[in-house]
Amino acid sequence: MAAAAPPFPASAAAALLLLPLLLCLSGGCNAQTPVFACDASNATLAAYGFCNRSATAAARAADLVSRLTLAEKVVSNEARAMHNVGLAGLTFWSPNINIFRDPRWGRGQETPGEDPLLTSKYAVGYVTGLQDAGSGAGDSLKVAACCKHYTAYDVDNWKGVERYTFNAVVSQQDLDDTFQPPFKSCVVDGNVASVMCSYNQVNGTPTCADKDLLSGVIRGDWKLNGYISSDCDSVDVLYNNQHYTKTPEDAAAISIKAGLDLNCGNFLAQHTVAAVQAGKLSESDVDRAITNNFITLMRLGFFDGDPRELPFGSLGPSDVCTSSNQELAREAARQGIVLLKNNGALPLSTKSIKSMAVIGPNANASFTMIGNYEGTPCKYTTPLQGLGANVATVYQPGCTNVGCSGNSLQLDAATKAAASADVTVLIVGADQSIERESLDRTSLLLPGQQPQLVSAVANASSGPCILVIMSGGPFDISFAKSSDKIAAILWVGYPGEAGGAAIADVLFGYHNPSGRLPVSWYPESFTKIPMTDMRMRPDPSTGYPGRTYRFYTGDTVYAFGDGLSYTNYAHRLVSAPTQVAVQLAEGHACLTEQCLSVEAEGGHCENLAFDVHLRVRNAGKVGGAHTVFLFSSPPAVHNAPAKHLLGFEKVSLEPGQAGVVAFKVDVCRDLSVVDELGNRKVALGSHTLHVGDLKHTLNLRV
């Protein structure tokens, strides 16, 4: 049991805790004399309950909160101070798990795509990878992740409609079917340390002031083990931009009472005390919020003394930019490249190519490759450098920037280079001047005169012309897809620091491409649909086509999941049931009535699962990796999606080699749909399973 702490007033205890930080901020510390909260060498601090490492994080946080005055509880400055002096930086406000609902969204580049299941699995993997402190670590965190932006957030700035004032009108069906699943998985399956609420309103209520969404769903239904943060200045926004409350004290009170624990910004620090003094908020509400924050800090080890003596304390600069990490960056880029068209020109041969024209505004890109919210790269390998390491190259930008306005177009030099080379690689697309946070697109065409550049260079090329699209979002490149002059098309996203090397690896066949599109590529005509229309499902009466591959009824340039290889794969169904019976409890209404669906929860869901086994064979002459997607088309009830993803597995096969891929299908989880009221139901009747061109029908019955 810890020794009794000295009988300091609460503010004195806090001052002792924060003194090292204040000394550092005033220049009183340096790298040679670091200071730490709960430093074991400081016997006075070590005697406090919040410094007792044998106690639970919750008990330690409660002890600390009990020692703070109200004013100390709301000065977020200490958290910032800890960051500024190098004592913080272990909370990462990532990943972005919003659904890439509209192809024009500037921040779609941050997300894993348009599918809720894919995004959910990405979220869990991302969070686990960041937070996992290893076996035996209990509830400790290596770093703290944050799933954002909760919820239905995917309009930044489109034709003057800004995220700060946008009200996302979303049906309960769309909310629970599309927008919420990744966040639920993040909290329930990933045990994320934090969720960030967004700027926008949902059905008239700011998300950071919505008690149902925060206290009700995140903390109540999903049992968040962590804290809820605002997006930066979101509370200020709901008061000053949205005019949701009459006074700043009301804004502070409604947000904290709704379940907000941490405000990114100064608004709560400035107005919470006044809200309590005015009786709009209780101090116990403040205690609850900061306790959640301190528990996370306890789990991170902030109050465990010198971090060099703790797990991971030996990590340092030598652990950054290792050769294995740099190779991982290159491999990640290789796996992310999607081959969309190939008339046989790829892979290229270094033996038959004497000269290569490398053309385009992204042909020598470096910073562009790392997208937004970027880290500091170890080094860059630009596309020009990557290609030039294999063959002799001639470089022409074609345009001075990706905007490619009339004045920046340099057609003559570009076409001359293409005409004299054995092969031409055109690298075009976007950068952060075209798509980014606070900037959505209004067109799906390549920017400026890039289409003219592509067509002119392709027509002038004496050899094969390879088109490479570097971007976060999709484009309407129908003209290139149908052109006989363009031999191959690849989408490389923003491929990171080793992007140029990865592009060369794929073009020259050192790596067989296996990437698949995570979003649908729509035609330019899709831009007639307002980006602010949040409806996922089509409306035939008005011609509204719906959104994403799950619901969209119109034409696409390329579809979700598209992606070619340098080999061919054949699929054969080994085993799957044709009939699955749902065993309902005695007296269930659907035993005597004709029901379209039954609840996706309850005793009848227990152990209600089956296996799907598929044989996959590499029928070509090149080894490679192949992603097997399992889709289902449910019965046409409850405005169900046309098809939805049940699972995916990646298998690596040498030429002629075959392997078996197995999927475990949980009926209530995987074959259920969300009804009009937001309830998850198992649709009865005929379900069609899809793997590539292979289809299998099974009947769900009671």
Side-chain angles (χ1 to χ4, degrees):
M1 194 167 179
F8 295 132
S11 57
L16 277 176
L17 171 66
L18 299 172
L19 180 60
L21 305 176
L22 299 175
L23 286 173
C24 284
L25 288 176
S26 60
C29 73
N30 54 56
Q32 284 70 44
T33 59
V35 291
F36 310 104
C38 295
D39 194 328
S41 64
N42 187 329
T44 302
L45 277 180
Y48 282 95
F50 59 79
C51 292
N52 180 7
R53 292 172 59 183
S54 65
T56 65
R60 297 173 69 188
D63 178 80
L64 175 55
V65 170
S66 72
R67 299 174 186 278
L68 302 177
T69 66
L70 175 61
E72 289 160 351
K73 292 172 183 176
V74 300
V75 278
S76 60
N77 288 345
E78 278 75 31
R80 188 66 186 183
M82 295 176 81
H83 170 77
N84 290 345
V85 299
L87 298 180
L90 291 180
T91 55
F92 286 75
W93 283 352
S94 188
N96 182 337
I97 57 169
N98 294 118
I99 296 298
F100 200 166
R101 174 190 62 94
D102 190 290
R104 294 163 286 188
W105 187 30
R107 299 189 74 175
Q109 60 184 292
E110 302 173 29
T111 77
E114 69 182 34
D115 181 75
L117 177 74
L118 172 62
T119 305
S120 296
K121 289 185 176 292
Y122 168 89
V124 173
Y126 194 117
V127 168
T128 302
L130 282 179
Q131 295 189 166
D132 187 10
S135 60
D139 203 31
S140 297
L141 296 166
K142 188 174 183 180
V143 298
C146 174
C147 287
K148 62 183 186 181
H149 311 81
Y150 183 81
T151 183
Y153 167 72
D154 57 9
V155 173
D156 264 66
N157 186 351
W158 178 77
K159 294 187 175 181
V161 178
E162 292 192 316
R163 57 184 173 168
Y164 304 116
T165 54
F166 177 57
N167 177 28
V169 179
V170 185
S171 70
Q172 193 64 48
Q173 184 176 34
D174 284 342
L175 189 67
D176 289 327
D177 181 42
T178 296
F179 299 107
Q180 295 289 71
F183 289 97
K184 181 177 181 180
S185 292
C186 198
V187 175
V188 175
D189 302 319
N191 193 27
V192 74
S194 175
V195 174
M196 177 187 287
C197 52
S198 54
Y199 291 112
N200 57 289
Q201 297 184 354
V202 173
N203 299 326
T205 303
T207 63
C208 291
D210 193 318
K211 190 170 185 176
D212 290 336
L213 286 176
L214 303 188
S215 294
V217 176
I218 297 179
R219 197 166 295 283
D221 295 343
W222 300 343
K223 311 300 181 188
L224 173 70
N225 178 25
Y227 68 96
I228 299 175
S229 170
S230 73
D231 203 340
C232 292
D233 296 318
S234 285
V235 185
D236 183 280
V237 163
L238 74 85
Y239 171 66
N240 283 308
N241 296 70
Q242 299 177 7
H243 310 295
Y244 188 72
T245 63
K246 292 183 179 180
T247 69
E249 293 77 20
D250 289 332
I254 196 173
S255 299
I256 294 174
K257 290 167 75 172
L260 188 69
D261 300 313
L262 180 68
N263 169 222
C264 174
N266 298 318
F267 194 89
L268 292 187
Q270 294 169 349
H271 301 292
T272 300
V273 171
V276 173
Q277 292 171 341
K280 299 174 183 293
L281 184 69
S282 70
E283 189 165 351
S284 63
D285 292 320
V286 178
D287 289 350
R288 183 263 312 150
I290 64 169
T291 297
N292 290 329
N293 299 331
F294 278 128
I295 288 175
T296 303
L297 290 176
M298 298 290 178
R299 294 170 64 199
L300 283 165
F302 276 119
F303 295 90
D304 291 348
D306 189 341
R308 294 170 298 187
E309 304 300 322
L310 302 176
F312 311 111
S314 63
L315 294 176
S318 63
D319 297 291
V320 179
C321 291
T322 62
S323 58
S324 61
N325 285 346
Q326 292 186 57
E327 176 57 29
L328 183 62
R330 184 168 180 169
E331 175 62 16
R334 284 191 289 247
Q335 291 196 28
I337 292 175
V338 184
L339 179 62
L340 294 171
K341 174 182 176 180
N342 186 17
N343 69 358
L346 296 181
L348 301 172
S349 170
T350 56
K351 296 180 180 179
S352 60
I353 296 174
K354 303 302 181 185
S355 63
M356 171 184 284
V358 184
I359 298 171
N362 277 337
N364 200 28
S366 55
F367 184 68
T368 293
M369 295 194 299
I370 59 176
N372 66 347
Y373 282 95
E374 70 283 352
T376 301
C378 303
K379 64 178 181 180
Y380 290 113
T381 302
T382 72
L384 180 62
Q385 290 170 334
L387 295 168
N390 291 271
V391 294
T393 59
V394 175
Y395 166 62
Q396 289 294 334
C399 295
T400 56
N401 54 63
V402 294
C404 206
S405 63
N407 294 333
S408 69
L409 190 62
Q410 302 171 346
L411 275 184
D412 289 346
T415 55
K416 183 178 179 181
S420 59
D422 294 330
V423 64
T424 297
V425 178
L426 261 166
I427 308 177
V428 298
D431 63 13
Q432 301 305 302
S433 71
I434 303 297
E435 53 179 3
R436 66 175 187 273
E437 184 173 6
S438 298
L439 180 63
D440 300 318
R441 289 188 283 155
T442 57
S443 172
L444 295 178
L445 300 177
L446 289 171
Q449 296 194 61
Q450 283 192 33
Q452 290 91 323
L453 171 66
V454 171
S455 295
V457 168
N459 287 329
S461 296
S462 59
C465 181
I466 315 301
L467 177 63
V468 177
I469 308 293
M470 184 182 293
S471 68
F475 285 101
D476 180 352
I477 52 170
S478 303
F479 77 99
K481 180 181 180 181
S482 61
S483 172
D484 293 335
K485 297 291 186 177
I486 296 176
I489 301 174
L490 301 94
W491 178 67
V492 300
Y494 291 124
E497 63 174 49
I503 290 170
D505 288 343
V506 170
L507 292 186
F508 287 103
Y510 306 129
H511 177 84
N512 189 354
S514 62
R516 303 291 193 92
L517 287 182
V519 293
S520 303
W521 286 38
Y522 301 87
E524 174 69 1
S525 58
F526 186 84
T527 60
K528 296 176 183 177
I529 298 168
M531 192 174 171
T532 50
D533 192 327
M534 299 293 292
R535 291 176 296 166
M536 298 301 300
R537 288 157 168 79
D539 182 354
S541 67
T542 62
Y544 182 71
R547 295 176 179 273
T548 76
Y549 82 93
R550 299 169 70 228
F551 301 105
Y552 179 63
T553 57
D555 296 327
T556 58
V557 180
Y558 289 106
F560 173 87
D562 276 359
L564 304 174
S565 169
Y566 294 151
T567 189
N568 298 307
Y569 298 94
H571 307 100
R572 181 172 65 83
L573 182 66
V574 176
S575 64
T578 57
Q579 298 281 336
V580 175
V582 182
Q583 301 294 332
L584 299 178
E586 185 177 352
H588 194 289
C590 292
L591 291 174
T592 56
E593 300 175 9
Q594 191 74 23
C595 293
L596 297 176
S597 62
V598 296
E599 303 85 355
E601 60 182 6
H604 58 266
C605 287
E606 294 180 9
N607 301 316
L608 185 59
F610 60 87
D611 293 325
V612 175
H613 289 207
L614 296 152
R615 185 174 185 271
V616 183
R617 183 173 63 88
N618 184 342
K621 299 180 180 179
V622 180
H626 176 57
T627 300
V628 181
F629 289 112
L630 178 64
F631 293 96
S632 171
S633 291
V637 298
H638 302 309
N639 291 314
K643 69 175 183 177
H644 62 110
L645 186 62
L646 301 188
F648 52 92
E649 295 289 341
K650 200 163 195 174
V651 59
S652 295
L653 298 170
E654 293 302 316
Q657 185 182 9
V660 174
V661 176
F663 293 94
K664 172 73 73 173
V665 179
D666 182 300
V667 171
C668 291
R669 181 192 65 199
D670 300 324
L671 295 184
S672 59
V673 298
V674 175
D675 71 9
E676 294 79 357
L677 300 178
N679 302 308
R680 192 158 283 278
K681 299 289 185 67
V682 176
L684 300 175
S686 179
H687 293 249
T688 302
L689 303 180
H690 308 249
V691 175
D693 295 329
L694 182 68
K695 294 184 179 182
H696 173 76
T697 300
L698 65 89
N699 185 53
L700 272 181
R701 58 181 178 79
V702 296

